[in-house]
Amino acid sequence: MMARAWVLGDNISTDDIIPGRYLVKRDPHELGKHVFENLIPGFSSKVRKGDVIIAGKNFGCGSSREQAPLALKGAGIGAVIAESFARIFFRNAVNQGLPVMVCKGVRTSFSTGEEVEYDLAKGVVRNLTRNLEMKAEPLPDFILSILQAGGLLSYLKSKGK
């Protein structure tokens, strides 16, 4: 998948992703209007469908709110590629159908606005602007199946469970 990169730093918390005052909302598109509003003012009006978040270490730290990956999906984010994730955020993202991938050194290999291409199954991230290729951790088949279904609930429904 090819998209435009938004580069963030280390320790982006779930409160940075979606401020706590919006947690009463459940609609992903409503939540998406407020993604990163304290970190990147006007983000929701600048982001394009399929854009990718490139981040440093410990993305999604803080509280375990599942609204954070839901809000990113609602804003149109196609994937988050980070050097590492808070464990609960990674799990919530997969369960909500938001692709996430670990790639060491990815943050320093991109600037915001550069073109990114990624392959979740092969574990490859490319900076098309700089003609760089990085090896990431490929996602196992069961996680790819959940993501292809759009999240854990859709996956389980498709299996009749």
Side-chain angles (χ1 to χ4, degrees), residues 77-149:
I77 296 299
V80 180
I81 302 170
E83 295 186 17
S84 68
F85 290 90
R87 188 173 167 171
I88 190 69
F89 177 86
F90 189 93
R91 186 173 172 176
N92 283 337
V94 170
N95 288 344
Q96 294 297 331
L98 175 68
V100 285
M101 188 161 55
V102 173
C103 182
K104 302 293 182 201
V106 71
R107 185 176 66 83
T108 57
S109 299
F110 280 91
S111 295
T112 293
E114 293 183 330
E115 294 291 322
V116 56
E117 183 179 64
Y118 59 95
D119 186 316
L120 300 170
K122 293 180 180 172
V124 174
V125 179
R126 291 184 187 92
N127 181 328
L128 300 177
T129 306
R130 298 185 198 183
N131 197 26
L132 296 173
E133 181 173 298
M134 288 149 277
K135 187 72 181 152
E137 295 178 18
L139 296 179
D141 289 344
F142 79 95
I143 290 181
L144 291 171
S145 295
I146 292 170
L147 293 173
Q148 286 174 331

Side-chain angles (χ1 to χ4, degrees), residues 1-24:
M1 305 208 101
M2 190 174 81
R4 187 174 60 154
W6 289 85
V7 180
L8 303 174
D10 294 335
N11 302 311
I12 301 299
S13 74
T14 52
D15 204 43
D16 292 326
I17 298 168
I18 184 73
R21 63 184 170 276
Y22 299 112
L23 297 182
V24 293

Side-chain angles (χ1 to χ4, degrees), residues 66 70 73 91-98 145-161:
E66 65 183 20
L70 204 56
K73 277 185 68 175
R91 186 173 172 176
N92 283 337
V94 170
N95 288 344
Q96 294 297 331
L98 175 68
S145 295
I146 292 170
L147 293 173
Q148 286 174 331
L152 184 59
L153 287 178
S154 296
Y155 174 78
L156 292 175
K157 285 179 185 174
S158 74
K159 298 293 179 191
K161 297 179 181 180

Side-chain angles (χ1 to χ4, degrees), residues 37-53:
E37 73 178 19
N38 294 333
L39 201 60
I40 309 169
F43 178 82
S44 66
S45 64
K46 299 173 189 169
V47 69
R48 294 185 212 150
K49 184 171 175 53
D51 281 359
V52 173
I53 300 297

